[in-house]
Amino acid sequence: MAYDYSSENKSLELPNPYRVENGLLFASAAILVAGGVTALMWAREALQSASLRLGAAPLLVGIALLAAGIAFAVPAARRLRFFFGRGRPASLAPEVAIGATGNSGAADAQKAMLRQGGIECAEPQGALNGLLYHLAPRLITAPRVVQELAQRHFFNALAFAATGASFVVAWGLFANAATRPLIGLAYLVFAAVVLLKPLVAGAKAAMTTTSLIALMVVAVVGPVSAGLLAGARPAFGFEVHGQAFFLLGAALLAVALILLAVFAQVDAPPPTERSCEQLTLSMNGPPGALLTELDRRLQNEWTQNIPNRRYTRLEPVTEGAAGSGRFAGELLEESQPMPLTGTTAPTLFGGLAVPRHRWLVALDLYATLLVLAGVAFALNYVRGFDPARLLEGGLQSHAAIGYSAICLVVAAFCFQSAGSIWGRFNFESVLVWVEMLGTWQASRIGTGNQLSSRLHSDNEVVRVESMTLRVWRARLESVVFGKDSARQVVAMFGTAQEARELGAELSAFAARQSVFVAPQSEADAQRLGRLQSTEALLAGGAAAPGLAAAPAHEALRVAAAHGARYCSECGAPAAAGAKFCSACGVALA
């Protein structure tokens, strides 16, 4: 899995975090497919012997196992190899297009984070969440996804534990041989519909206060009610309390492993430092020029020549008939998020040695064992299937298919929960926020003597006096769970030296601004030299030193255009009708 940036820098490549789970998913799919093919072969043998009733069960089980195998292989195939595009990971706020101005509420939240020097954490709500955060106080600084998973599965664990305790009390203490089948069936249906079904769908168990009270009432009063119904019902011929115990135990163990995997994602309280450089500047020019210079400076610092993500750009406005006023401008940009240094792909045995991955590997291994057990239960059921017993009403032999279904459903829940945690990616980036605030005043400045000089300029100038410039800068560490999910900042580190340097560069740029307009090109210098030489000749003097003198014939041509005559030898002025120079006697042209 790599960034698709057309870059040869290997630091942009990310290892596939799903490598371990993909391998175990493919292994589980292979086990299921092998079990399905085996069941189909047995169905083929039964059909060849003209025993349709005997071949029905292997046929149906084989189809179900093949479908389950494909379902387990699909998510692994999707995550086998994929790429991060240029727009990933997700930005911290809506981006402002190039050449446009704008802002957003999410961008204001990032500015508040820099200004306050802290990361805001949502306060947990509810009694169970209060208990959870009391038991795990460091959870409050964990990423939001980790907190949501912890809250959900802590609730699920309590729901399964409460149901299991109620079942043990009702079935073991107050029930008898006549009432136990009804109690086992009731708890099995409750655990499958109320607890397990929402979990497989990605939600938390549908346990409410009413459900909890009902479990407590059923644990005490349920056996008595079941005894009243025992005489009015036909004999079941089978009991499902084994499946109920197995479902509650397998699901509770799965939720416990998920909680351990979630808590392993919680780190120590992160640092929340940022750097701020405040300057007072005065400049001869519009403050928008400072924002343009800031654009150039930030572009020079692009990470791997990848453009920064711009979240805010507000131009300082210095227009109006009053000729003065207040202005405010700001720019908020984030560099391209890069993977943290040292990010490596976890392996099956290497993951067991890393605390963050240890319980995830254990959870996936547990799911694989459940798949293996489910296939074994299904094949055992198919091998011992007897349609005659089904007609006779003896359903006890069909318990194995119930155990198989429970194993496969709980395994799917384990793989789904682990996948949401495996998709964790950590990035680092730099967030820069520059804000400017002050007053401006327009004025007109002229250069050159308006009476005696033939070269002068006049310029409209916007002057900024004592502008407040603040440079906020921080190195961020952020995390996403899944390449398309929202990204969250989990730590900030100050960059005082870089903030100080950026402030100094902007201050130096402001000091270099000029209010005078003067010719700058080489052609302008040559033309000015010719003009000054001609003016000196017309006045009877020499060319000013330091400027190129015009050629003699060019000077004479210019002088003739003004009606004056000069001697070509000595340069003395001559009368309009004279034929010879009065100074040297040379004939005049």
Side-chain angles (χ1 to χ4, degrees):
M1 181 169 56
Y3 278 86
D4 187 16
Y5 281 133
S6 300
S7 173
E8 298 180 356
N9 194 321
K10 297 301 181 182
S11 64
L12 294 174
E13 297 184 357
L14 280 174
N16 192 339
Y18 299 104
R19 181 179 300 179
V20 174
E21 183 167 271
N22 283 346
L24 293 177
L25 276 172
F26 280 126
S28 299
I31 294 172
L32 288 166
V33 170
V37 172
T38 303
L40 292 178
M41 294 298 294
W42 291 346
R44 181 173 178 272
E45 294 176 1
L47 293 176
Q48 285 180 343
S49 63
S51 178
L52 181 60
R53 292 193 307 169
L54 188 61
L59 179 62
L60 294 177
V61 171
I63 294 175
L65 291 179
L66 287 178
I70 295 175
F72 274 68
V74 166
R78 289 176 178 172
R79 300 179 311 201
L80 190 61
R81 184 173 183 83
F82 61 94
F83 299 91
F84 271 78
R86 288 185 178 268
R88 294 189 179 98
S91 298
L92 298 176
E95 296 187 35
V96 178
I98 301 300
T101 60
N103 193 26
S104 63
D108 289 336
Q110 303 304 317
K111 300 172 197 173
M113 179 183 67
L114 287 177
R115 188 184 298 276
Q116 297 172 5
I119 301 174
E120 184 178 357
C121 301
E123 182 180 355
Q125 303 293 328
L128 292 181
N129 288 338
L131 176 61
L132 172 63
Y133 283 83
H134 174 73
L135 298 175
R138 293 198 312 183
L139 185 63
I140 192 65
T141 60
R144 285 189 300 269
V145 174
V146 174
Q147 296 189 47
E148 292 172 358
L149 290 174
Q151 294 173 14
R152 181 197 309 170
H153 293 297
F154 181 70
F155 181 88
N156 295 335
L158 293 181
F160 277 104
T163 305
S166 176
F167 184 37
V168 169
V169 171
W171 189 88
L173 295 182
F174 299 110
N176 52 36
T179 59
R180 281 174 179 171
L182 271 177
I183 293 175
L185 180 61
Y187 275 93
L188 177 62
V189 173
F190 179 84
V193 176
V194 178
L195 302 182
L196 191 58
K197 182 180 177 180
L199 264 62
V200 177
K204 69 179 182 179
M207 177 73 77
T208 61
T209 304
T210 304
S211 302
L212 183 60
I213 295 175
L215 286 175
M216 299 174 64
V217 172
V218 170
V220 179
V221 183
V224 179
S225 302
L228 296 177
L229 296 174
R233 65 167 179 83
F236 274 127
F238 74 103
E239 295 183 355
V240 294
H241 62 271
Q243 289 92 328
F245 274 119
F246 184 75
L247 170 58
L248 292 172
L252 185 59
L253 179 56
V255 173
L257 290 175
I258 294 172
L259 278 177
L260 292 173
V262 170
F263 287 134
Q265 309 302 312
V266 180
D267 300 321
T272 55
E273 303 172 357
R274 85 283 188 268
S275 300
C276 177
E277 188 74 12
Q278 180 171 278
L279 302 172
T280 301
L281 301 182
S282 297
M283 62 181 296
N284 297 319
L290 200 64
L291 205 61
T292 304
E293 174 65 13
L294 177 61
D295 274 338
R296 290 189 286 264
R297 296 290 180 181
L298 294 181
Q299 183 172 349
N300 292 335
E301 299 176 359
W302 283 358
T303 302
Q304 303 295 333
N305 292 325
I306 302 172
N308 290 346
R309 301 181 177 193
R310 180 174 295 172
Y311 302 141
T312 299
R313 182 183 179 89
L314 298 178
E315 296 279 355
V317 179
T318 56
E319 298 177 358
S324 63
R326 297 181 61 83
F327 69 87
E330 56 182 320
L331 183 69
L332 175 66
E333 288 190 3
E334 182 192 16
S335 64
Q336 171 62 36
M338 302 293 290
L340 287 180
T341 305
T343 302
T344 58
T347 60
L348 181 60
F349 296 104
L352 292 173
V354 179
R356 178 168 290 179
H357 298 150
R358 181 179 301 141
W359 294 109
L360 283 175
V361 176
L363 180 61
D364 285 337
L365 288 175
Y366 174 63
T368 307
L369 291 177
L370 285 177
V371 170
L372 185 60
V375 172
F377 278 123
L379 294 180
N380 181 61
Y381 166 75
V382 170
R383 200 61 175 171
F385 177 72
D386 186 1
R389 298 186 61 186
L390 177 62
L391 296 177
E392 295 172 0
L395 302 179
Q396 188 63 32
S397 61
H398 301 280
I401 199 65
Y403 287 114
S404 176
I406 292 172
C407 287
L408 296 183
V409 171
V410 175
F413 166 63
C414 292
F415 278 125
Q416 181 190 58
S417 301
S420 61
I421 306 175
W422 275 118
R424 176 171 181 165
F425 301 92
N426 290 83
F427 298 93
E428 60 180 353
S429 58
V430 174
L431 189 64
V432 180
W433 176 33
V434 177
E435 55 177 343
M436 55 187 70
L437 179 67
T439 58
W440 65 276
Q441 184 175 5
S443 59
R444 182 181 297 273
I445 298 179
T447 59
N449 193 321
Q450 301 294 325
L451 299 177
S452 61
S453 175
R454 299 184 181 180
L455 182 64
H456 57 83
S457 65
D458 195 6
N459 188 30
E460 285 279 354
V461 177
V462 173
R463 176 167 177 77
V464 176
E465 190 71 31
S466 300
M467 173 183 66
T468 300
L469 178 71
R470 296 187 183 95
V471 178
W472 306 84
R473 199 177 190 279
R475 182 175 68 84
L476 306 181
E477 285 189 5
S478 53
V479 62
V480 296
F481 287 84
K483 64 177 183 178
D484 294 318
S485 62
R487 183 161 56 99
Q488 179 186 356
V489 177
V490 294
M492 291 193 306
F493 301 88
T495 56
Q497 181 65 25
E498 290 81 358
R500 192 177 302 112
E501 291 176 355
L502 180 58
E505 292 172 355
L506 295 177
S507 178
F509 173 80
R512 291 194 300 267
Q513 301 309 297
S514 175
V515 298
F516 297 109
V517 177
Q520 297 181 1
S521 67
E522 183 178 353
D524 289 336
Q526 294 177 357
R527 293 176 183 178
L528 286 174
R530 292 180 179 179
L531 289 174
Q532 190 165 358
S533 298
T534 302
E535 185 177 358
L537 290 174
L538 292 174
L547 295 176
H553 66 278
E554 180 68 15
L556 292 176
R557 186 186 66 80
V558 175
H562 288 77
R565 299 184 66 196
Y566 296 88
C567 177
S568 60
E569 292 295 331
C570 64
K579 295 182 178 180
F580 297 94
C581 178
S582 60
C584 62
V586 177
L588 299 176

